[in-house]
Amino acid sequence: MLTIFRRAELPKELRSLMIFDRKVFGESDRFDAPYWQTLESYWLLEGGVKVGCCAFERNVAQNSLYIATTGIHPGFQGRGFGRLMKAWEVAFARHHGFKRIVTNCRKRNTAMIRLNKNFGFKAIRTEPRYYSDPVDSMVVMELRLAPGSAFSRV
Ligand SMILES: CC(C)(COP(=O)(O)OP(=O)(O)OC[C@H]1O[C@@H](n2cnc3c(N)ncnc32)[C@H](O)[C@@H]1OP(=O)(O)O)[C@@H](O)C(=O)NCCC(=O)NCCS
């Protein structure tokens, strides 16, 4: 089966992104339409089916790529798609010459924290009570990209 990453087209796919987001994150953590419109979003498609979605903000700090969201549809979780998407996010950052990747998640989100750590991300900061419904801390994670790797620009 063909597995591809494709950039989401805005505004055409805004509704589709928001429906997917609600399925993955529920009501409390989903993004609103104005925020989605600022993001550079990508679908992970498996045989034409939308299996995952991730979204970036470029240069939130100099040379930093911010991963605003990484989500795998609940029906496809636990099958390696999260690992595939994380590998693609890191490759995307290297390919575009970023020196650092930053991302956030709930402290209770052990799956995401473990996945990030597997790729070398480190927790650099915690913000208590950042999330509501339920209340939770936010963990900020960072991956510093070494220059001169196979994916870096020459
Ligand atoms: C977190 C998420 C992206 C992982 O995707 P996935 O396809 O389910 O994960 P994979 O099958 O690729 O597993 C990759 C790694 O994730 C971690 N992981 C996945 N499920 C886990 C679980 N239930 N408990 C702990 N770790 C888990 C593990 O480190 C795993 O690697 P390992 O099996 O080698 O230990 C996915 O579960 C998801 O979309 N969750 C809801 C959205 C979310 O919380 N996103 C993060 C905030 S931006």
Side-chain angles (χ1 to χ4, degrees):
M1 217 176 297
L2 185 65
T3 306
I4 60 162
F5 287 87
R6 170 176 75 70
R7 185 159 178 180
E9 284 178 56
L10 286 171
K12 200 173 110 189
E13 294 190 287
L14 176 61
R15 193 175 134 76
S16 190
L17 285 167
M18 292 186 72
I19 290 169
F20 192 91
D21 192 27
R22 187 185 282 119
K23 273 187 200 143
V24 176
F25 288 94
E27 281 302 322
S28 56
D29 289 353
R30 70 191 182 90
F31 298 156
D32 59 18
Y35 187 48
W36 273 113
Q37 278 164 319
T38 68
L39 296 172
E40 182 174 337
S41 305
Y42 291 86
W43 295 111
L44 165 54
L45 298 156
E46 165 85 345
V49 176
K50 287 170 180 154
V51 162
C53 177
C54 64
F56 305 126
E57 284 182 57
R58 294 186 188 229
N59 294 310
V60 274
Q62 207 184 8
N63 294 320
S64 291
L65 181 70
Y66 174 61
I67 304 176
T69 184
T70 300
I72 302 299
H73 189 287
F76 292 91
Q77 288 175 9
R79 298 199 218 164
F81 287 113
R83 206 175 305 124
L84 174 66
M85 182 167 268
K86 190 57 63 180
W88 184 81
E89 290 170 349
V90 174
F92 179 98
R94 287 189 190 282
H95 177 72
H96 289 92
F98 290 100
K99 298 197 167 51
R100 183 174 170 255
I101 306 175
V102 182
T103 191
N104 307 329
C105 69
R106 283 179 176 267
K107 195 173 179 184
R108 70 177 59 201
N109 194 341
T110 49
M112 195 67 224
I113 291 171
R114 198 161 134 192
L115 177 57
N116 283 333
K117 282 187 175 165
N118 286 348
F119 279 81
F121 284 76
K122 303 221 179 326
I124 53 166
R125 201 172 72 244
T126 302
E127 290 194 22
R129 304 182 66 82
Y130 178 87
Y131 293 99
S132 54
D133 196 20
V135 172
D136 198 0
S137 303
M138 175 177 76
V139 181
V140 182
M141 301 188 81
E142 170 194 74
L143 177 67
R144 289 192 175 268
L145 300 170
S149 76
F151 293 106
S152 293
R153 284 188 167 173
V154 286

